[in-house]
Amino acid sequence: VAMFSKHIHAVSKKGLSVKLLLFTIAYNLKVLDEVNSIK
């Protein structure tokens, strides 16, 4: 949760979807990195 910004400034619905998609990808990459570093 700390990774995500408190305000998302998106002008269009498409821009909002892109930002949410990028946040999701970044979060998943972080989790995968943490899982791989544990092994």
Side-chain angles (χ1 to χ4, degrees):
V1 177
M3 227 171 87
F4 300 113
S5 63
K6 292 184 181 183
H7 302 285
I8 298 175
H9 178 71
V11 179
S12 65
K13 288 182 182 179
K14 186 175 181 179
L16 177 63
S17 337
V18 169
K19 286 187 180 198
L20 290 175
L21 178 65
L22 291 175
F23 281 138
T24 306
I25 291 171
Y27 177 76
N28 285 331
L29 288 173
K30 181 181 177 206
V31 169
L32 282 173
D33 185 46
E34 290 173 356
V35 168
N36 286 333
S37 68
I38 291 174
K39 290 181 179 182

mmCIF file of all heavy atoms in Angstrom:
data_model
loop_
_atom_site.group_PDB
_atom_site.id
_atom_site.type_symbol
_atom_site.label_atom_id
_atom_site.label_comp_id
_atom_site.label_asym_id
_atom_site.label_seq_id
_atom_site.Cartn_x
_atom_site.Cartn_y
_atom_site.Cartn_z
ATOM 1 N N VAL A 1 0.831 -1.198 0.000
ATOM 2 C CA VAL A 1 0.000 0.000 0.000
ATOM 3 C C VAL A 1 0.871 1.256 0.000
ATOM 4 O O VAL A 1 0.530 2.240 -0.617
ATOM 5 C CB VAL A 1 -0.956 -0.001 1.208
ATOM 6 C CG1 VAL A 1 -1.765 1.262 1.272
ATOM 7 C CG2 VAL A 1 -1.868 -1.202 1.158
ATOM 8 N N ALA A 2 1.998 1.197 0.680
ATOM 9 C CA ALA A 2 2.882 2.362 0.729
ATOM 10 C C ALA A 2 3.455 2.690 -0.640
ATOM 11 O O ALA A 2 3.859 3.815 -0.887
ATOM 12 C CB ALA A 2 4.007 2.104 1.716
ATOM 13 N N MET A 3 3.473 1.695 -1.535
ATOM 14 C CA MET A 3 4.013 1.889 -2.870
ATOM 15 C C MET A 3 3.107 2.778 -3.734
ATOM 16 O O MET A 3 3.566 3.488 -4.608
ATOM 17 C CB MET A 3 4.134 0.527 -3.547
ATOM 18 C CG MET A 3 5.426 0.278 -4.229
ATOM 19 S SD MET A 3 5.514 -1.431 -4.721
ATOM 20 C CE MET A 3 4.737 -1.365 -6.300
ATOM 21 N N PHE A 4 1.817 2.700 -3.495
ATOM 22 C CA PHE A 4 0.862 3.409 -4.336
ATOM 23 C C PHE A 4 0.729 4.867 -3.922
ATOM 24 O O PHE A 4 0.793 5.202 -2.750
ATOM 25 C CB PHE A 4 -0.509 2.738 -4.265
ATOM 26 C CG PHE A 4 -0.482 1.315 -4.725
ATOM 27 C CD1 PHE A 4 -0.714 0.281 -3.840
ATOM 28 C CD2 PHE A 4 -0.217 1.010 -6.045
ATOM 29 C CE1 PHE A 4 -0.682 -1.032 -4.261
ATOM 30 C CE2 PHE A 4 -0.187 -0.303 -6.477
ATOM 31 C CZ PHE A 4 -0.425 -1.321 -5.587
ATOM 32 N N SER A 5 0.533 5.713 -4.914
ATOM 33 C CA SER A 5 0.369 7.131 -4.614
ATOM 34 C C SER A 5 -1.026 7.372 -4.027
ATOM 35 O O SER A 5 -1.960 6.620 -4.281
ATOM 36 C CB SER A 5 0.566 7.967 -5.874
ATOM 37 O OG SER A 5 -0.422 7.654 -6.825
ATOM 38 N N LYS A 6 -1.156 8.427 -3.275
ATOM 39 C CA LYS A 6 -2.444 8.722 -2.643
ATOM 40 C C LYS A 6 -3.427 9.316 -3.647
ATOM 41 O O LYS A 6 -4.630 9.183 -3.486
ATOM 42 C CB LYS A 6 -2.244 9.678 -1.477
ATOM 43 C CG LYS A 6 -1.496 9.039 -0.332
ATOM 44 C CD LYS A 6 -1.380 9.955 0.850
ATOM 45 C CE LYS A 6 -0.602 9.262 1.957
ATOM 46 N NZ LYS A 6 -0.505 10.043 3.146
ATOM 47 N N HIS A 7 -2.905 9.984 -4.655
ATOM 48 C CA HIS A 7 -3.755 10.590 -5.680
ATOM 49 C C HIS A 7 -3.306 10.127 -7.052
ATOM 50 O O HIS A 7 -2.119 10.142 -7.355
ATOM 51 C CB HIS A 7 -3.667 12.115 -5.622
ATOM 52 C CG HIS A 7 -4.052 12.674 -4.287
ATOM 53 N ND1 HIS A 7 -5.349 12.747 -3.860
ATOM 54 C CD2 HIS A 7 -3.302 13.156 -3.271
ATOM 55 C CE1 HIS A 7 -5.382 13.264 -2.649
ATOM 56 N NE2 HIS A 7 -4.139 13.514 -2.254
ATOM 57 N N ILE A 8 -4.279 9.726 -7.854
ATOM 58 C CA ILE A 8 -3.980 9.343 -9.230
ATOM 59 C C ILE A 8 -4.588 10.407 -10.128
ATOM 60 O O ILE A 8 -5.793 10.600 -10.148
ATOM 61 C CB ILE A 8 -4.559 7.960 -9.569
ATOM 62 C CG1 ILE A 8 -3.933 6.892 -8.686
ATOM 63 C CG2 ILE A 8 -4.338 7.639 -11.035
ATOM 64 C CD1 ILE A 8 -4.532 5.512 -8.879
ATOM 65 N N HIS A 9 -3.723 11.122 -10.822
ATOM 66 C CA HIS A 9 -4.193 12.160 -11.726
ATOM 67 C C HIS A 9 -4.284 11.574 -13.130
ATOM 68 O O HIS A 9 -3.283 11.406 -13.811
ATOM 69 C CB HIS A 9 -3.249 13.364 -11.719
ATOM 70 C CG HIS A 9 -3.673 14.441 -12.664
ATOM 71 N ND1 HIS A 9 -4.767 15.218 -12.424
ATOM 72 C CD2 HIS A 9 -3.163 14.828 -13.858
ATOM 73 C CE1 HIS A 9 -4.903 16.068 -13.429
ATOM 74 N NE2 HIS A 9 -3.944 15.841 -14.317
ATOM 75 N N ALA A 10 -5.496 11.194 -13.518
ATOM 76 C CA ALA A 10 -5.711 10.645 -14.852
ATOM 77 C C ALA A 10 -6.787 11.470 -15.544
ATOM 78 O O ALA A 10 -7.828 11.762 -14.961
ATOM 79 C CB ALA A 10 -6.138 9.197 -14.764
ATOM 80 N N VAL A 11 -6.524 11.849 -16.768
ATOM 81 C CA VAL A 11 -7.452 12.699 -17.510
ATOM 82 C C VAL A 11 -8.575 11.871 -18.132
ATOM 83 O O VAL A 11 -9.711 12.327 -18.210
ATOM 84 C CB VAL A 11 -6.685 13.481 -18.603
ATOM 85 C CG1 VAL A 11 -7.626 14.347 -19.401
ATOM 86 C CG2 VAL A 11 -5.605 14.328 -17.967
ATOM 87 N N SER A 12 -8.270 10.648 -18.526
ATOM 88 C CA SER A 12 -9.282 9.824 -19.194
ATOM 89 C C SER A 12 -9.382 8.460 -18.508
ATOM 90 O O SER A 12 -8.546 8.092 -17.689
ATOM 91 C CB SER A 12 -8.910 9.624 -20.661
ATOM 92 O OG SER A 12 -7.716 8.877 -20.751
ATOM 93 N N LYS A 13 -10.417 7.714 -18.881
ATOM 94 C CA LYS A 13 -10.580 6.369 -18.330
ATOM 95 C C LYS A 13 -9.447 5.467 -18.791
ATOM 96 O O LYS A 13 -8.976 4.617 -18.050
ATOM 97 C CB LYS A 13 -11.917 5.782 -18.772
ATOM 98 C CG LYS A 13 -13.107 6.412 -18.103
ATOM 99 C CD LYS A 13 -14.393 5.739 -18.545
ATOM 100 C CE LYS A 13 -15.589 6.418 -17.906
ATOM 101 N NZ LYS A 13 -16.856 5.794 -18.337
ATOM 102 N N LYS A 14 -9.000 5.674 -20.016
ATOM 103 C CA LYS A 14 -7.901 4.861 -20.540
ATOM 104 C C LYS A 14 -6.620 5.144 -19.746
ATOM 105 O O LYS A 14 -5.878 4.225 -19.413
ATOM 106 C CB LYS A 14 -7.691 5.167 -22.015
ATOM 107 C CG LYS A 14 -6.684 4.269 -22.674
ATOM 108 C CD LYS A 14 -6.597 4.534 -24.172
ATOM 109 C CE LYS A 14 -5.603 3.624 -24.825
ATOM 110 N NZ LYS A 14 -5.514 3.845 -26.264
ATOM 111 N N GLY A 15 -6.366 6.413 -19.438
ATOM 112 C CA GLY A 15 -5.189 6.768 -18.646
ATOM 113 C C GLY A 15 -5.236 6.159 -17.256
ATOM 114 O O GLY A 15 -4.223 5.691 -16.739
ATOM 115 N N LEU A 16 -6.415 6.153 -16.655
ATOM 116 C CA LEU A 16 -6.590 5.550 -15.338
ATOM 117 C C LEU A 16 -6.317 4.051 -15.409
ATOM 118 O O LEU A 16 -5.630 3.491 -14.559
ATOM 119 C CB LEU A 16 -7.999 5.809 -14.813
ATOM 120 C CG LEU A 16 -8.339 5.182 -13.468
ATOM 121 C CD1 LEU A 16 -7.455 5.741 -12.369
ATOM 122 C CD2 LEU A 16 -9.797 5.396 -13.138
ATOM 123 N N SER A 17 -6.848 3.391 -16.448
ATOM 124 C CA SER A 17 -6.618 1.948 -16.587
ATOM 125 C C SER A 17 -5.148 1.637 -16.761
ATOM 126 O O SER A 17 -4.642 0.670 -16.196
ATOM 127 C CB SER A 17 -7.349 1.329 -17.770
ATOM 128 O OG SER A 17 -8.413 2.023 -18.192
ATOM 129 N N VAL A 18 -4.446 2.453 -17.555
ATOM 130 C CA VAL A 18 -3.013 2.222 -17.770
ATOM 131 C C VAL A 18 -2.254 2.375 -16.461
ATOM 132 O O VAL A 18 -1.401 1.549 -16.126
ATOM 133 C CB VAL A 18 -2.460 3.172 -18.852
ATOM 134 C CG1 VAL A 18 -0.946 3.132 -18.897
ATOM 135 C CG2 VAL A 18 -3.053 2.842 -20.206
ATOM 136 N N LYS A 19 -2.567 3.408 -15.700
ATOM 137 C CA LYS A 19 -1.869 3.621 -14.429
ATOM 138 C C LYS A 19 -2.132 2.484 -13.448
ATOM 139 O O LYS A 19 -1.216 2.005 -12.784
ATOM 140 C CB LYS A 19 -2.275 4.953 -13.813
ATOM 141 C CG LYS A 19 -1.660 6.117 -14.541
ATOM 142 C CD LYS A 19 -1.913 7.428 -13.827
ATOM 143 C CE LYS A 19 -1.255 8.546 -14.614
ATOM 144 N NZ LYS A 19 -1.083 9.747 -13.831
ATOM 145 N N LEU A 20 -3.380 2.036 -13.370
ATOM 146 C CA LEU A 20 -3.698 0.932 -12.466
ATOM 147 C C LEU A 20 -3.011 -0.357 -12.916
ATOM 148 O O LEU A 20 -2.513 -1.116 -12.087
ATOM 149 C CB LEU A 20 -5.218 0.721 -12.391
ATOM 150 C CG LEU A 20 -5.977 1.814 -11.662
ATOM 151 C CD1 LEU A 20 -7.475 1.561 -11.751
ATOM 152 C CD2 LEU A 20 -5.545 1.929 -10.221
ATOM 153 N N LEU A 21 -2.957 -0.578 -14.221
ATOM 154 C CA LEU A 21 -2.271 -1.750 -14.742
ATOM 155 C C LEU A 21 -0.784 -1.707 -14.403
ATOM 156 O O LEU A 21 -0.205 -2.695 -13.947
ATOM 157 C CB LEU A 21 -2.464 -1.837 -16.250
ATOM 158 C CG LEU A 21 -1.759 -2.990 -16.953
ATOM 159 C CD1 LEU A 21 -2.330 -4.323 -16.508
ATOM 160 C CD2 LEU A 21 -1.882 -2.833 -18.457
ATOM 161 N N LEU A 22 -0.161 -0.548 -14.580
ATOM 162 C CA LEU A 22 1.265 -0.414 -14.278
ATOM 163 C C LEU A 22 1.542 -0.587 -12.789
ATOM 164 O O LEU A 22 2.535 -1.212 -12.402
ATOM 165 C CB LEU A 22 1.789 0.929 -14.776
ATOM 166 C CG LEU A 22 1.856 1.072 -16.294
ATOM 167 C CD1 LEU A 22 2.267 2.489 -16.680
ATOM 168 C CD2 LEU A 22 2.800 0.064 -16.905
ATOM 169 N N PHE A 23 0.668 -0.053 -11.932
ATOM 170 C CA PHE A 23 0.831 -0.246 -10.489
ATOM 171 C C PHE A 23 0.722 -1.727 -10.138
ATOM 172 O O PHE A 23 1.491 -2.251 -9.329
ATOM 173 C CB PHE A 23 -0.230 0.530 -9.697
ATOM 174 C CG PHE A 23 0.063 1.996 -9.566
ATOM 175 C CD1 PHE A 23 -0.955 2.918 -9.709
ATOM 176 C CD2 PHE A 23 1.336 2.466 -9.273
ATOM 177 C CE1 PHE A 23 -0.702 4.281 -9.582
ATOM 178 C CE2 PHE A 23 1.597 3.821 -9.147
ATOM 179 C CZ PHE A 23 0.564 4.729 -9.300
ATOM 180 N N THR A 24 -0.219 -2.417 -10.776
ATOM 181 C CA THR A 24 -0.407 -3.844 -10.513
ATOM 182 C C THR A 24 0.811 -4.648 -10.950
ATOM 183 O O THR A 24 1.279 -5.538 -10.223
ATOM 184 C CB THR A 24 -1.666 -4.360 -11.238
ATOM 185 O OG1 THR A 24 -2.780 -3.551 -10.859
ATOM 186 C CG2 THR A 24 -1.956 -5.794 -10.898
ATOM 187 N N ILE A 25 1.336 -4.342 -12.124
ATOM 188 C CA ILE A 25 2.523 -5.039 -12.620
ATOM 189 C C ILE A 25 3.715 -4.782 -11.698
ATOM 190 O O ILE A 25 4.453 -5.702 -11.347
ATOM 191 C CB ILE A 25 2.842 -4.621 -14.066
ATOM 192 C CG1 ILE A 25 1.764 -5.157 -15.008
ATOM 193 C CG2 ILE A 25 4.217 -5.111 -14.498
ATOM 194 C CD1 ILE A 25 1.851 -4.620 -16.419
ATOM 195 N N ALA A 26 3.896 -3.533 -11.290
ATOM 196 C CA ALA A 26 5.019 -3.199 -10.404
ATOM 197 C C ALA A 26 4.897 -3.938 -9.069
ATOM 198 O O ALA A 26 5.888 -4.467 -8.551
ATOM 199 C CB ALA A 26 5.064 -1.698 -10.176
ATOM 200 N N TYR A 27 3.696 -4.017 -8.540
ATOM 201 C CA TYR A 27 3.481 -4.719 -7.273
ATOM 202 C C TYR A 27 3.791 -6.208 -7.433
ATOM 203 O O TYR A 27 4.459 -6.804 -6.593
ATOM 204 C CB TYR A 27 2.040 -4.516 -6.791
ATOM 205 C CG TYR A 27 1.736 -5.286 -5.532
ATOM 206 C CD1 TYR A 27 2.210 -4.842 -4.302
ATOM 207 C CD2 TYR A 27 1.000 -6.465 -5.581
ATOM 208 C CE1 TYR A 27 1.953 -5.549 -3.147
ATOM 209 C CE2 TYR A 27 0.741 -7.180 -4.428
ATOM 210 C CZ TYR A 27 1.218 -6.717 -3.211
ATOM 211 O OH TYR A 27 0.965 -7.422 -2.071
ATOM 212 N N ASN A 28 3.305 -6.812 -8.517
ATOM 213 C CA ASN A 28 3.545 -8.237 -8.745
ATOM 214 C C ASN A 28 5.029 -8.527 -8.928
ATOM 215 O O ASN A 28 5.529 -9.546 -8.443
ATOM 216 C CB ASN A 28 2.759 -8.734 -9.958
ATOM 217 C CG ASN A 28 1.290 -8.885 -9.641
ATOM 218 O OD1 ASN A 28 0.916 -9.149 -8.509
ATOM 219 N ND2 ASN A 28 0.445 -8.698 -10.642
ATOM 220 N N LEU A 29 5.744 -7.651 -9.618
ATOM 221 C CA LEU A 29 7.185 -7.838 -9.776
ATOM 222 C C LEU A 29 7.900 -7.759 -8.435
ATOM 223 O O LEU A 29 8.831 -8.518 -8.166
ATOM 224 C CB LEU A 29 7.754 -6.807 -10.749
ATOM 225 C CG LEU A 29 7.396 -7.019 -12.214
ATOM 226 C CD1 LEU A 29 7.884 -5.838 -13.045
ATOM 227 C CD2 LEU A 29 7.969 -8.314 -12.730
ATOM 228 N N LYS A 30 7.463 -6.846 -7.582
ATOM 229 C CA LYS A 30 8.066 -6.718 -6.253
ATOM 230 C C LYS A 30 7.827 -7.982 -5.433
ATOM 231 O O LYS A 30 8.737 -8.491 -4.775
ATOM 232 C CB LYS A 30 7.483 -5.503 -5.536
ATOM 233 C CG LYS A 30 8.076 -5.282 -4.171
ATOM 234 C CD LYS A 30 7.461 -4.103 -3.479
ATOM 235 C CE LYS A 30 8.046 -3.991 -2.087
ATOM 236 N NZ LYS A 30 7.178 -3.328 -1.160
ATOM 237 N N VAL A 31 6.610 -8.505 -5.472
ATOM 238 C CA VAL A 31 6.286 -9.717 -4.722
ATOM 239 C C VAL A 31 7.091 -10.900 -5.254
ATOM 240 O O VAL A 31 7.640 -11.687 -4.474
ATOM 241 C CB VAL A 31 4.768 -10.008 -4.785
ATOM 242 C CG1 VAL A 31 4.453 -11.392 -4.248
ATOM 243 C CG2 VAL A 31 4.000 -8.952 -4.015
ATOM 244 N N LEU A 32 7.187 -11.028 -6.579
ATOM 245 C CA LEU A 32 7.966 -12.119 -7.165
ATOM 246 C C LEU A 32 9.440 -12.026 -6.770
ATOM 247 O O LEU A 32 10.082 -13.039 -6.490
ATOM 248 C CB LEU A 32 7.843 -12.103 -8.685
ATOM 249 C CG LEU A 32 6.546 -12.667 -9.250
ATOM 250 C CD1 LEU A 32 6.486 -12.427 -10.747
ATOM 251 C CD2 LEU A 32 6.415 -14.137 -8.941
ATOM 252 N N ASP A 33 9.963 -10.816 -6.724
ATOM 253 C CA ASP A 33 11.352 -10.624 -6.323
ATOM 254 C C ASP A 33 11.555 -11.046 -4.869
ATOM 255 O O ASP A 33 12.551 -11.681 -4.530
ATOM 256 C CB ASP A 33 11.751 -9.165 -6.529
ATOM 257 C CG ASP A 33 13.215 -8.937 -6.239
ATOM 258 O OD1 ASP A 33 14.052 -9.737 -6.719
ATOM 259 O OD2 ASP A 33 13.532 -7.964 -5.531
ATOM 260 N N GLU A 34 10.604 -10.690 -4.011
ATOM 261 C CA GLU A 34 10.707 -11.073 -2.602
ATOM 262 C C GLU A 34 10.616 -12.587 -2.437
ATOM 263 O O GLU A 34 11.354 -13.163 -1.643
ATOM 264 C CB GLU A 34 9.606 -10.396 -1.789
ATOM 265 C CG GLU A 34 9.808 -8.903 -1.639
ATOM 266 C CD GLU A 34 8.633 -8.207 -0.972
ATOM 267 O OE1 GLU A 34 7.612 -8.865 -0.690
ATOM 268 O OE2 GLU A 34 8.729 -6.984 -0.765
ATOM 269 N N VAL A 35 9.747 -13.234 -3.194
ATOM 270 C CA VAL A 35 9.603 -14.683 -3.111
ATOM 271 C C VAL A 35 10.871 -15.365 -3.595
ATOM 272 O O VAL A 35 11.354 -16.316 -2.985
ATOM 273 C CB VAL A 35 8.381 -15.157 -3.931
ATOM 274 C CG1 VAL A 35 8.385 -16.668 -4.111
ATOM 275 C CG2 VAL A 35 7.099 -14.713 -3.263
ATOM 276 N N ASN A 36 11.442 -14.851 -4.681
ATOM 277 C CA ASN A 36 12.669 -15.447 -5.222
ATOM 278 C C ASN A 36 13.861 -15.232 -4.304
ATOM 279 O O ASN A 36 14.769 -16.054 -4.263
ATOM 280 C CB ASN A 36 12.974 -14.909 -6.611
ATOM 281 C CG ASN A 36 12.031 -15.500 -7.645
ATOM 282 O OD1 ASN A 36 11.529 -16.590 -7.479
ATOM 283 N ND2 ASN A 36 11.803 -14.764 -8.705
ATOM 284 N N SER A 37 13.881 -14.151 -3.563
ATOM 285 C CA SER A 37 15.017 -13.896 -2.676
ATOM 286 C C SER A 37 14.936 -14.756 -1.412
ATOM 287 O O SER A 37 15.938 -14.995 -0.759
ATOM 288 C CB SER A 37 15.082 -12.412 -2.307
ATOM 289 O OG SER A 37 13.981 -12.060 -1.492
ATOM 290 N N ILE A 38 13.749 -15.235 -1.071
ATOM 291 C CA ILE A 38 13.568 -16.087 0.105
ATOM 292 C C ILE A 38 14.129 -17.477 -0.170
ATOM 293 O O ILE A 38 14.729 -18.101 0.691
ATOM 294 C CB ILE A 38 12.077 -16.175 0.506
ATOM 295 C CG1 ILE A 38 11.613 -14.824 1.042
ATOM 296 C CG2 ILE A 38 11.847 -17.264 1.542
ATOM 297 C CD1 ILE A 38 10.118 -14.748 1.328
ATOM 298 N N LYS A 39 13.956 -17.976 -1.397
ATOM 299 C CA LYS A 39 14.381 -19.339 -1.743
ATOM 300 C C LYS A 39 15.856 -19.510 -1.777
ATOM 301 O O LYS A 39 16.693 -18.789 -1.830
ATOM 302 C CB LYS A 39 13.819 -19.732 -3.100
ATOM 303 C CG LYS A 39 12.329 -19.935 -3.045
ATOM 304 C CD LYS A 39 11.813 -20.348 -4.405
ATOM 305 C CE LYS A 39 10.327 -20.585 -4.346
ATOM 306 N NZ LYS A 39 9.786 -21.014 -5.592
#
